[in-house]
């Protein structure tokens, strides 16, 4: 059982705002804030390089913490400044040839898909979106069928999309990928921190995550997981002197671990804060977090669905902490603003962020309310009451 009183006390903003924008940026717990500030002060006191050296052991620990979170090894982790940078480093590591096929899903994230289109144009990459089942998740039989035909270079799928509660069947996708020997890149940006991720079970070769969303870490932090056995099958798209060593005037050697995807410079305060955030989540327990987030989200959807003119738009047989809805006669942006005026944080998800899915389902802008374990049942009631007042006014 999660000690709600404790986690809320360690998140003082809980008393100031009703924060249902955890898919945007979750509230950081106090220890995450404190650790970052302490490091920034230390940099000011003794110098940036000196403060980093002083924290070297703790920085190593951040890799170990992230590895524990994913059931990976520290050598399989690269620290990145956000999930987009992590995903791009992974995606552009593949040497796509004209006619190579890329399989993705209908709920794919815009930034990922833009790069598929970019390589479709520049390299002749063939992009195929695997259809969803009637429930809304990526269809495993359809994926199997697509993999049975030759030329699939990569399966790249978003685990939890930005535009709703859908959880794609990543483990089954991983199983298909493995059985066909096809590399699998998983965008776990929205799932890390709210779903118990285990890279062995997921069967992915590469996985990208951000710090600020469900992990409750700092903005401008993220990481990439690269499976050890996969490391030498791709080459980072860009190198620096951390990624590789310049050994003779015309030769370089990549470093042996996933840090070959990193840049030498990073935001040490953010990295230390991310480490604390991961430890904080691990101390509570990912299975416990997942169960509570799921319970709260179900409660929220039930409350919203009971309101006149409100349509909940979450799909998928398995759903997470992200809830999206529309209300008859009120634009999502109006709802967001009126909620914001009452100290309620949400966001709007627009069709362009997940265009394939939004087009297929003819979705308008949707109000996105994303809950975390530190939210309370009382907040669900307050939120539903606030929406009710708008739709019945
Ligand atoms: C937010 C998001 C990203 C991008 O993460 P950044 O840290 O902002 O780069 C990628 N994929 C999905 C599904 C997201 O929701």
């Amino acid at each position: 059982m999660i000690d709600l009183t404790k986690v809320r006390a360690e998140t003082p903003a809980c008393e100031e705002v009703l924060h249902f924008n955890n898919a945007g940026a979750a509230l950081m717990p106090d220890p995450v804030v404190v650790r970052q500030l302490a490091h920034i002060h230390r940099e000011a006191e003794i110098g940036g390089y000196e403060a980093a050296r002083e924290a070297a052991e703790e920085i190593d620990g951040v890799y170990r913490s992230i590895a524990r979170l994913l059931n990976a090894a520290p050598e399989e982790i690269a620290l990145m400044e956000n999930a987009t940078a992590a995903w791009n480093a992974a995606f552009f590591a593949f040497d796509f040839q004209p006619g190579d096929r890329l399989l993705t899903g209908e709920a794919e994230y815009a930034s990922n898909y833009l790069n598929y289109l970019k390589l479709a144009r520049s390299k002749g990459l063939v992009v195929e979106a695997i259809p969803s089942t009637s429930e809304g998740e990526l269809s495993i039989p359809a994926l199997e069928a697509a993999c049975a035909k030759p030329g699939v270079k990569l399966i790249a799928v978003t685990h939890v999309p930005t535009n709703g509660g859908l959880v794609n069947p990543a483990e089954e996708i991983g199983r298909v990928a493995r059985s066909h020997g096809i590399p699998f890149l998983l965008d776990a940006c929205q799932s890390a921190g709210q779903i118990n991720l285990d890279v062995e079970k997921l069967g992915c070769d590469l996985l990208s995550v951000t710090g600020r969303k469900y992990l409750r870490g700092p903005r401008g932090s993220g990481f990439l997981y690269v499976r050890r056995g996969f490391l030498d099958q791709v080459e980072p798209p860009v190198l620096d002197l951390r990624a590789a060593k310049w050994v003779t005037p015309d030769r370089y050697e990549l470093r042996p671990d996933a840090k070959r995807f990193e840049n030498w410079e990073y935001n040490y305060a953010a990295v230390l804060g991310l480490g604390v955030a991961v430890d904080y989540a691990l101390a509570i327990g990912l299975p416990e977090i997942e169960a509570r987030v799921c319970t709260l989200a179900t409660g929220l959807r039930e409350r919203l669905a009971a309101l006149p003119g409100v349509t909940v738009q979450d799909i998928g047989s398995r759903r997470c902490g992200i809830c999206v809805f529309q209300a008859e006669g009120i634009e999502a942006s109006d709802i967001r603003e009126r909620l914001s005026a009452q100290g309620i944080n949400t966001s709007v998800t627009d069709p362009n962020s997940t265009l394939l899915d939004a087009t297929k389902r003819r979705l308008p802008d949707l109000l996105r309310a994303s809950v975390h374990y530190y939210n309370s049942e009382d907040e669900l009631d307050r939120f539903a009451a606030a929406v009710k007042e708008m739709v019945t006014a």
Side-chain angles (χ1 to χ4, degrees):
M1 269 280 277
I2 295 175
D3 185 343
L4 193 61
T5 310
K6 178 169 183 282
V7 295
R8 286 180 72 82
E10 287 171 350
T11 314
C14 281
E15 300 311 316
E16 310 300 323
V17 292
L18 194 167
H19 195 72
F20 281 3
N21 195 12
N22 294 291
L27 297 173
M28 290 180 281
D30 262 350
V32 174
V33 179
V34 168
R35 187 65 196 92
Q36 290 182 84
L37 291 175
H39 190 74
I40 291 168
H41 283 305
R42 211 53 197 142
E43 287 182 336
E45 283 160 13
I46 64 166
Y49 282 32
E50 293 71 18
R53 204 171 306 136
E54 199 176 69
E57 182 51 37
E58 199 183 335
I59 296 282
D60 280 347
V62 176
Y63 292 87
R64 289 194 294 273
S65 295
I66 294 170
R68 243 185 89 204
L69 179 79
L70 302 176
N71 187 28
E75 297 73 33
E76 297 177 305
I77 306 303
L79 292 171
M80 312 295 283
E81 62 266 36
N82 53 56
T84 303
W87 189 93
N88 283 340
F91 178 68
F92 287 101
F94 289 86
D95 181 22
F96 293 106
Q97 299 298 317
D100 277 346
R101 298 164 65 213
L102 176 131
L103 307 183
T104 186
E106 290 181 337
E108 194 63 0
Y109 187 63
S111 298
N112 304 351
Y113 212 92
L114 290 169
N115 288 300
Y116 306 153
L117 294 177
K118 177 175 159 64
L119 290 202
R121 184 194 289 185
S122 66
K123 297 236 172 155
L125 181 68
V126 178
V127 184
E128 298 172 38
I130 302 300
S132 301
T133 66
S134 55
E135 291 280 309
E137 60 266 10
L138 185 141
S139 162
I140 298 302
L143 179 67
E144 272 286 3
C147 289
K149 290 178 242 151
V152 181
K153 179 89 168 186
L154 174 66
I155 298 173
V157 171
T158 298
H159 196 190
V160 167
T162 185
N163 76 332
L166 169 71
V167 182
N168 264 323
E171 291 185 15
E172 287 74 13
I173 295 168
R175 214 167 292 139
V176 174
R178 273 187 180 173
S179 74
H180 290 270
I182 299 167
F184 176 26
L185 162 59
L186 184 66
D187 175 345
C189 193
Q190 290 290 4
S191 51
Q194 67 161 319
I195 288 175
N196 192 22
L197 300 176
D198 177 336
V199 289
E200 289 303 318
K201 289 187 185 149
L202 291 166
C204 56
D205 300 293
L206 303 143
L207 174 145
S208 54
V209 172
T210 204
R212 74 176 185 281
K213 294 179 180 174
Y214 276 90
L215 276 174
R216 307 185 67 193
R219 296 202 67 169
S221 67
F223 56 87
L224 173 68
Y225 155 83
V226 187
R227 187 170 62 76
R228 202 176 350 221
F230 191 72
L231 209 53
D232 287 324
Q233 295 183 36
V234 287
E235 169 140 344
V238 289
L239 300 175
D240 81 348
L241 46 71
R242 182 192 200 65
K245 191 166 172 184
W246 191 12
V247 285
T248 65
D250 55 5
R251 203 171 62 80
Y252 64 86
E253 271 169 18
L254 289 170
R255 49 177 304 148
D257 55 21
K259 288 197 182 87
R260 62 173 65 171
F261 283 90
E262 289 184 356
N263 286 322
W264 185 85
E265 172 64 353
Y266 54 45
N267 182 338
Y268 282 81
V271 164
L272 290 165
L274 175 66
V276 174
V278 171
D279 289 341
Y280 194 88
L282 287 168
I284 293 171
L286 269 297
E288 288 76 10
I289 290 173
E290 184 176 333
R292 175 157 175 86
V293 168
C294 197
T295 303
L296 287 172
T298 303
L300 182 59
R301 288 190 199 103
E302 282 167 9
R303 284 167 176 79
L304 290 168
L307 301 178
V310 171
T311 310
V312 175
Q313 291 286 11
D314 296 303
I315 54 172
S317 53
R318 179 179 171 199
R319 294 175 196 181
C320 64
I322 304 178
C323 308
V324 289
F325 65 95
Q326 64 193 99
E328 227 173 82
I330 319 177
E331 294 286 329
S333 55
D334 283 347
I335 303 178
R336 193 192 63 77
E337 266 168 44
R338 286 157 73 178
L339 289 170
S340 170
Q342 300 175 49
I344 300 176
N345 297 342
T346 59
S347 59
V348 171
T349 176
D350 80 282
N352 297 88
S353 66
T354 29
L355 192 72
L356 295 185
D357 176 49
T359 305
K360 180 180 173 185
R361 295 197 283 142
R362 299 165 189 258
L363 296 176
D365 280 1
L366 298 173
L367 198 285
R368 184 178 71 181
S370 44
V371 298
H372 216 325
Y373 62 82
Y374 58 79
N375 290 126
S376 66
E377 308 280 343
D378 174 58
E379 286 178 322
L380 300 183
D381 290 335
R382 278 172 53 208
F383 185 84
V387 176
K388 184 177 182 183
E389 202 179 292
M390 279 177 221
V391 295
T392 52

